[in-house]
Amino acid sequence: MANKRIVIDPITRIEGHLRIEVEVDENNVITNAFSSSTLWRGLEVIVKGRDPKDVGLIVQRICGVCTSSHYRAGIEAVEDAIKVNLPLNAKYVRSMIAQALFLHDHIVHFYLLHGLDWVDVISALKADPKKAEQESFKYCKTPYATGEAELKAVQEKVQKMVDGGQLGIFANGYWGNKTYKLSPEQNLIALSHYLRAIEVQRDAAKLMAILGGKQPHPQSFVVGGVTCVRDLLDPSRLAEWKTRFENVKAFVDCAYYPDVLMAGKMYANEPSVVQEVSVPNFMSGDGIALNAQENLFNAGYILNKDLSQAFKIDENLIMEECTHSWYQENKPLHPYDGETEPNYTGFVEKMTIDGEGKNVAIPAINEKGKYSWIKSPRYDSKPFEVGPLACMLVGYAQGNERIKRVVDEFLQASGLPVKALFTTLGRTAGRMLQTKLIVDYGMETFNALIENLKNDESTYTPCPIDEKKEYRGRYIGEVPRGMLSHWIRIKDGKVENYQCVVPSTWNAGPEDSQGKKGPYEANLIGMKIEDITKPLEIIREIHSYDPCIACAVHVMDTKGNKLGEYKIDPKYLG
Amino acid sequence: MQIKERERIEKRLEELEKMPSFKEEHSIAQMLQEKGISRRDFMKWAGGIATMLALSPAYTPLIAKAAELSDRLPVIWLNLAECTGCSESLTRSEFPSIDSLIFDYISLEYHETLMAPSGWQAELSLQNAMEKYKGRYILMVEGGVPFGDEGRFLTIGAHAQTGKELAKDAISKSAAVFAIGTCSSFGGVQAAYPNPTNAKPLSSVSNRSIINVPGCPPSERNIVGTLMYYVLFGNLPALDAYSRPTWAYGTRIHDLCERRGRFDAGEFVENFGDEGAKKGYCLYKVGCKGPYTFNNCSVSKFNSGVSWPIQAGHGCIGCSEPNFWDTMAPYEKPLADRSFQSVFGGMGADWTADKVGLAVLTATAIGIAAHATIMKIKESKGE
């Protein structure tokens, strides 16, 4: 029997527009997989020719979910180019805003985006609230929002929605799928936390707003420092930060951590979530300054799942290529150079299985040609996975004591072996552990800021850009979805070339010219699908990377193009 | 309040009341009770919304009633060429704390960021909602519409439908359309020069009246408030020349800015982080575009009033204005040397404001000049 093809588009509960296609054999085991991003916006083209000091605000609009990541990257790439001596207060504020983002982003991801892959909302209706309350004490001494009365109220709330026949966002979910592994009581606990997460994420967002002016899209970074000096000099603002931080920490300690622990125990034998990764290389960047010298996360990479040694990154070995991406140029290029113009070739008609199991002809990915707006970044010609899991693994291999502590404690509490880290389950746990690290150690930054403010109120260093000089600079750092880098060239006081290499690009990119696949595609192969009309396993795997597709898609500028000479093929002008 | 207007609203609410309810057994009053929210808190919230919509307190009971009837409104939310910042802003809605409840209550039929199903099942949710509630659902759209290459820079769904086609179809069956955010309202960041994908505003897709709720992103209040207005009046609110509701976008940032007194006194931040910055001086000289920007940030702020850009010491960048990425740049330099025309493409948001704005701008230029002179005199005296 010939292979069947499954198309999933849109992949929902992510940022951006993503299409996944897989082929399965007669046993419904995935034999091949393809990832395609279906939106291109071209922001790197747009920043060309502008004031370098404006770049941060523009590139922030790459993404409203990992808001502030690209803002900071755009500002710090310019600071790196023109060599700015950043005041310590600015360094701490940026670190605190990054913390606020990690906390917000990871909580929203686990509950609102990824949670419904692990938690069967409808099964929770069958739970006994009293038993569920008792169950919650197995994973936490002081559980969050799991008292019998509250769980009962949660149940009634959802029951009413179901009875009214108005399921809204819960309509047509994959409820009842055999790969849901939590008991009704466990589902109810997680459902209660889902509702509470909506409240807690607002607190995490306010953390960013206190120093950033608003969230999403804060506005207090400038080339040379930060602008929120009045908030720093106002003790009530700092107290507000501390209080909200503690609120978020309570949720992470008593809801998020125990829920992942529970999932770890219950899913330990579900093949689709403990299948080991095929891309065995992991890379991460520096992240979260705790004080003047020390970061919570440090840059590096590991190879072949080997936790005994970590390597230093050589920036010259980062290349991107477009063999299967909708751009003209195929050969690998370093981010400072680039030779790309859009070259959209679309889809080709193929027979695929639809939502009712029928064979239908629809436009599908042409894997022999180009099929995605995402490129394929490679390091030393190898694909890498980036993200919170990579950050934990690299830190572990580096012997980072803070990271070793939380990872070891989690493995011990869950009874999972080290190799369980290299799985979908491990990836989801890694994100939670990264969040745990921030709530455990983040206040060190706050304390360093307070200490510094006692004798230093500076927040900004004036930094003129010499129009007669040429500059180039870059930012590399760890953001919620992994290692992010922005690369800039400045000439005549304007942006000459701009390039982002974004976490989701590393993970979601298509095959390269050597036939090597990135993590999304490679790690799906070999997975068995329970019901090919409702491929929950695929969605769970893809969600475990926390896709941010608007970030992943971008275009490099044409090499040697002079400012203002960027030409667009008339056929793209509609 | 105008008697006529009041009657009109009452009539509208009566009509809504007669419509079949989606959730018979599930009145908002019950839900409030379950949530531990008293009737008094609820009325307080309705009063808050009245203030927000610049209505007199006499509207409060009508707003409460409107909220109670809002379960008649299915909502479809589409994401086109966007960054998801507007959806994010929507989920920050909190103050009054039952906003999110109201939102649960407005049945969110399709929202790619939040909905459980993917793929075929997601498509099914959309088709079901568009058929079942044909002519009755509210469509909210986030993101610009790429027109380049026949719209193929964005495709959605198994059939690889372009964003342009999808939007057109969804608009045609809707009761009302809100363009949420600057991308959807005016094209946004992807439409900035040289606009490589030829991105356009949602209004380019159809001739239907579309309410624009711009901002990058708009505050959670402007998104929710716009919905409430529709429930109340059953038609479009008063709009300015750019189809923005005047209740939210009727005044300039500058007019109600907390630092306005500093501007009038000629006290300006010269460099970020200087003594003036510590004292909260006006940010005009470091690029604030408050004088050219119509929005209510100075009053409503963001994240339930926690802060807004000017409070955080950075100038406004004009994010609720058409083409602001091009017209307001550079964002950290003043526009004093540019004519008002260039900012508004030759058309003010309203003609009166146009004249006022011109006066403001002149005053600003004078203010800066006067201030610079004083500084010079001080310097020369060695003070």
Side-chain angles (χ1 to χ4, degrees):
Chain A
M1 198 178 133
N3 282 353
K4 297 194 192 97
R5 197 174 183 98
I6 308 171
V7 173
I8 312 171
D9 185 351
I11 295 273
T12 56
R13 286 182 281 124
I14 63 166
E15 193 302 317
H17 297 279
L18 177 67
R19 180 188 189 98
I20 296 288
E21 295 188 18
V22 301
E23 288 193 336
V24 296
D25 65 13
E26 63 276 14
N27 301 316
N28 291 345
V29 172
I30 297 175
T31 56
N32 214 339
F34 309 99
S35 144
S36 165
S37 157
T38 58
L39 165 68
W40 181 63
R41 295 191 300 155
L43 297 204
E44 284 139 312
V45 178
I46 288 161
V47 296
K48 231 180 96 81
R50 295 180 186 251
D51 183 341
K53 294 187 176 181
D54 283 352
V55 163
L57 285 164
I58 297 171
V59 295
Q60 170 154 240
R61 271 67 187 181
I62 288 173
C63 179
V65 175
C66 51
T67 182
S68 82
S69 299
H70 296 286
Y71 185 24
R72 176 180 177 176
I75 297 272
E76 294 195 3
V78 175
E79 287 172 348
D80 178 58
I82 62 178
K83 300 292 171 257
V84 172
N85 199 354
L86 194 68
L88 264 184
N89 291 328
K91 179 181 167 134
Y92 295 147
V93 165
R94 290 178 190 180
S95 173
M96 287 160 73
I97 282 188
Q99 289 176 29
L101 173 68
F102 274 90
L103 296 177
H104 180 271
D105 214 344
H106 288 352
I107 289 169
V108 167
H109 177 260
F110 183 68
Y111 287 100
L112 303 188
L113 308 183
H114 198 22
L116 303 179
D117 309 332
W118 305 92
V119 178
D120 186 334
V121 173
I122 303 303
S123 145
L125 299 176
K126 297 198 290 278
D128 174 346
K130 193 173 174 60
K131 277 191 186 153
E133 179 184 334
Q134 290 160 356
E135 177 74 14
S136 68
F137 283 92
K138 289 185 188 168
Y139 311 100
C140 182
K141 288 195 189 80
T142 52
Y144 196 100
T146 59
E148 186 187 349
E150 175 152 5
L151 292 177
K152 212 171 154 103
V154 166
Q155 227 171 7
E156 281 166 7
K157 187 180 162 90
V158 176
Q159 188 64 55
K160 276 192 174 154
M161 191 179 67
V162 173
D163 294 344
Q166 276 279 307
L167 280 164
I169 55 169
F170 299 114
N172 302 319
Y174 304 125
W175 318 125
N177 184 294
K178 286 198 180 73
T179 67
Y180 279 121
K181 294 295 174 195
L182 302 183
S183 69
E185 284 72 25
Q186 292 168 332
N187 281 316
L188 182 57
I189 293 167
L191 184 59
S192 175
H193 292 161
Y194 175 98
L195 297 171
R196 288 299 197 99
I198 296 172
E199 295 168 21
V200 172
Q201 60 92 17
R202 286 197 286 260
D203 251 336
K206 284 175 191 172
L207 277 177
M208 191 186 291
I210 291 166
L211 298 174
K214 60 190 178 99
Q215 202 277 16
H217 295 340
Q219 209 161 301
S220 63
F221 298 172
V222 285
V223 173
V226 294
T227 63
C228 52
V229 61
R230 282 174 66 76
D231 297 301
L232 295 183
L233 301 179
D234 177 346
S236 74
R237 296 295 267 174
L238 298 171
E240 185 181 350
W241 169 279
K242 206 167 184 305
T243 308
R244 293 196 189 283
F245 191 94
E246 282 158 6
N247 289 349
V248 176
K249 178 169 168 51
F251 182 83
V252 172
D253 285 342
C254 306
Y256 188 10
Y257 192 108
D259 284 352
V260 173
L261 192 60
M262 181 168 80
K265 287 189 170 177
M266 301 307 292
Y267 278 86
N269 300 314
E270 166 52 35
S272 64
V273 303
V274 293
Q275 171 177 306
E276 283 204 47
V277 295
S278 308
V279 174
N281 314 315
F282 296 82
M283 188 181 290
S284 90
D286 287 328
I288 313 285
L290 296 174
N291 51 50
Q293 293 81 32
E294 209 180 359
N295 290 327
L296 188 52
F297 315 128
N298 298 304
Y301 67 91
I302 63 166
L303 293 172
N304 302 319
K305 297 190 267 193
D306 179 2
L307 288 172
S308 69
Q309 60 175 335
F311 303 92
K312 276 184 85 104
I313 299 169
D314 175 354
E315 289 171 27
N316 296 317
L317 297 180
I318 297 175
M319 297 278 176
E320 288 192 295
E321 60 135 276
C322 306
T323 306
H324 290 286
S325 316
W326 283 313
Y327 305 106
Q328 299 281 9
E329 181 55 55
N330 293 342
K331 69 171 184 285
L333 291 163
H334 188 274
Y336 276 132
D337 314 305
E339 286 190 46
T340 312
E341 300 250 350
N343 175 21
Y344 183 77
T345 53
F347 297 103
V348 290
E349 195 163 278
K350 288 186 181 175
M351 294 306 286
T352 66
I353 303 293
D354 73 4
E356 286 154 6
K358 291 202 289 280
N359 235 332
V360 292
I362 57 164
I365 283 171
N366 174 17
E367 59 265 29
K368 294 190 180 65
K370 294 177 177 287
Y371 62 86
S372 178
W373 288 113
I374 302 178
K375 297 169 169 189
S376 314
R378 295 290 179 261
Y379 178 84
D380 196 14
S381 314
K382 295 181 190 70
F384 272 75
E385 175 174 330
V386 300
L389 174 62
C391 182
M392 294 301 98
L393 296 172
V394 170
Y396 201 93
Q398 288 166 334
N400 179 319
E401 280 176 24
R402 294 183 180 95
I403 291 177
K404 272 186 92 92
R405 178 185 70 85
V406 297
V407 172
D408 287 339
E409 278 175 8
F410 179 79
L411 290 176
Q412 203 186 344
S414 63
L416 291 166
V418 171
K419 72 172 191 177
L421 294 171
F422 299 95
T423 66
T424 299
L425 187 60
R427 197 172 296 114
T428 298
R431 187 170 298 103
M432 181 278 291
L433 294 172
Q434 192 179 47
T435 316
K436 174 72 176 144
L437 279 159
I438 291 169
V439 296
D440 282 356
Y441 299 108
M443 283 315 275
E444 291 186 26
T445 313
F446 178 89
N447 296 336
L449 173 74
I450 302 290
E451 200 50 43
N452 194 60
L453 281 169
K454 288 176 184 172
N455 51 28
D456 170 21
E457 291 182 357
S458 64
T459 48
Y460 176 75
T461 310
C463 42
I465 296 174
D466 185 346
E467 291 189 10
K468 293 185 192 64
K469 278 171 76 173
E470 287 190 37
Y471 304 92
R472 58 193 236 173
R474 52 92 184 122
Y475 161 90
I476 299 185
E478 190 70 6
V479 297
R481 284 163 190 77
M483 189 179 75
L484 171 69
S485 58
H486 281 212
W487 310 72
I488 189 168
R489 286 166 177 257
I490 301 170
K491 197 178 168 186
D492 304 329
K494 293 180 178 153
V495 179
E496 199 192 14
N497 190 328
Y498 204 83
Q499 176 66 3
C500 319
V501 187
V502 180
S504 294
T505 318
W506 287 94
N507 292 338
E511 257 179 46
D512 63 22
S513 58
Q514 307 303 305
K516 286 185 200 149
K517 287 177 167 292
Y520 280 21
E521 295 185 348
N523 294 340
L524 280 171
I525 294 169
M527 185 186 289
K528 186 174 170 23
I529 307 301
E530 185 66 37
D531 173 356
I532 58 169
T533 64
K534 299 189 179 75
L536 175 63
E537 301 89 333
I538 297 177
I539 290 156
R540 191 188 286 125
E541 157 80 19
I542 295 298
H543 280 163
S544 74
Y545 299 94
D546 191 4
C548 200
I549 302 304
C551 291
V553 176
H554 54 92
V555 61
M556 287 186 277
D557 200 357
T558 303
K559 192 181 181 185
N561 244 1
K562 289 207 175 61
L563 272 175
E565 280 189 8
Y566 184 85
K567 286 191 182 62
I568 296 159
D569 187 320
K571 81 169 184 228
Y572 296 114
L573 297 177
Chain B
M1 138 161 47
Q2 296 278 323
I3 302 289
K4 257 189 180 157
E5 200 175 58
R6 199 194 160 95
E7 279 171 5
R8 200 159 56 87
I9 296 172
E10 280 170 347
K11 204 165 147 252
R12 159 84 181 146
L13 292 173
E14 271 165 35
E15 281 166 23
L16 276 174
E17 220 162 6
K18 284 183 198 130
M19 281 170 83
S21 173
F22 293 136
K23 305 169 200 166
E24 269 319 333
E25 298 302 299
H26 202 196
S27 83
I28 202 154
Q30 276 177 336
M31 286 182 73
L32 294 171
Q33 219 171 0
E34 284 161 25
K35 273 271 191 179
I37 293 162
S38 67
R39 185 74 199 165
R40 201 164 145 260
D41 284 342
F42 178 60
M43 292 313 282
K44 217 155 73 182
W45 170 84
I49 289 279
T51 311
M52 200 168 96
L53 295 172
L55 299 170
S56 88
Y59 278 81
T60 300
L62 292 176
I63 288 174
K65 190 170 180 184
E68 290 177 345
L69 290 168
S70 64
D71 64 327
R72 272 77 169 173
L73 287 172
V75 173
I76 292 175
W77 180 294
L78 294 181
N79 298 69
L80 303 177
E82 44 80 25
C83 78
T84 315
C86 296
S87 290
E88 285 278 0
S89 184
L90 171 76
T91 65
R92 306 297 180 269
S93 184
E94 166 193 26
F95 187 72
S97 64
I98 57 165
D99 280 0
S100 61
L101 178 65
I102 301 281
F103 241 88
D104 292 343
Y105 214 63
I106 286 166
S107 191
L108 194 51
E109 295 294 320
Y110 187 86
H111 190 307
E112 282 177 32
T113 319
L114 298 170
M115 66 197 293
S118 279
W120 296 103
Q121 287 77 16
E123 209 166 76
L124 185 70
S125 289
L126 184 60
Q127 282 163 355
N128 285 352
M130 276 163 63
E131 288 314 309
K132 191 172 167 187
Y133 306 122
K134 198 170 175 175
R136 290 162 59 202
Y137 64 82
I138 291 207
L139 178 69
M140 300 174 94
V141 179
E142 171 181 15
V145 189
F147 271 63
D149 201 5
E150 292 160 15
R152 296 192 305 169
F153 288 116
L154 167 63
T155 66
I156 299 172
H159 298 92
Q161 199 180 16
T162 64
K164 195 170 129 189
E165 291 163 9
L166 182 66
K168 201 172 174 155
D169 193 23
I171 291 171
S172 72
K173 295 175 184 153
S174 68
V177 188
F178 303 149
I180 302 296
T182 298
C183 293
S184 186
S185 301
F186 306 127
V189 68
Q190 49 274 316
Y193 180 84
N195 193 352
T197 63
N198 195 17
K200 293 187 179 181
L202 188 65
S203 55
S204 313
V205 174
S206 143
N207 296 327
R208 283 279 303 272
S209 309
I210 290 174
I211 301 173
N212 289 333
V213 186
C216 192
S219 69
E220 69 281 5
R221 290 179 148 213
N222 287 1
I223 299 172
V224 175
T226 303
L227 258 174
M228 289 308 306
Y229 206 105
Y230 178 80
V231 175
L232 268 173
F233 293 87
N235 60 10
L236 302 185
L239 302 173
D240 71 6
Y242 297 122
S243 301
R244 301 175 292 198
T246 49
W247 68 263
Y249 300 90
T251 51
R252 281 189 184 74
I253 297 283
H254 187 64
D255 298 340
L256 297 171
C257 180
E258 64 201 34
R259 302 190 182 204
R260 180 59 191 260
R262 300 298 197 170
F263 170 86
D264 293 343
E267 293 171 326
F268 295 96
V269 173
E270 304 291 333
N271 274 301
F272 294 115
D274 66 9
E275 283 309 303
K278 289 179 192 174
K279 290 177 184 155
Y281 284 9
C282 171
L283 296 159
Y284 187 87
K285 287 170 92 172
V286 286
C288 184
K289 305 300 185 292
Y292 323 96
T293 306
F294 291 82
N295 206 335
N296 55 358
C297 313
S298 21
V299 179
S300 289
K301 301 191 180 182
F302 291 83
N303 304 86
S304 324
V306 168
S307 191
W308 65 300
I310 287 172
Q311 188 175 339
H314 192 290
C316 162
I317 59 171
C319 75
S320 49
E321 294 305 319
N323 310 321
F324 82 95
W325 289 112
D326 293 332
T327 58
M328 303 285 182
Y331 314 121
E332 284 151 19
K333 295 197 178 106
L335 281 190
D337 55 339
R338 299 178 58 166
S339 75
F340 193 71
Q341 254 68 4
S342 71
V343 178
F344 287 107
M347 184 176 68
D350 65 75
W351 293 112
T352 345
D354 209 4
K355 295 191 186 80
V356 174
L358 210 48
V360 164
L361 200 61
T362 320
T364 309
I366 291 168
I368 289 182
H371 187 65
T373 318
I374 294 164
M375 292 279 288
K376 246 196 153 75
I377 293 167
K378 277 188 171 175
E379 277 168 24
S380 62
K381 284 186 175 169
E383 284 177 24

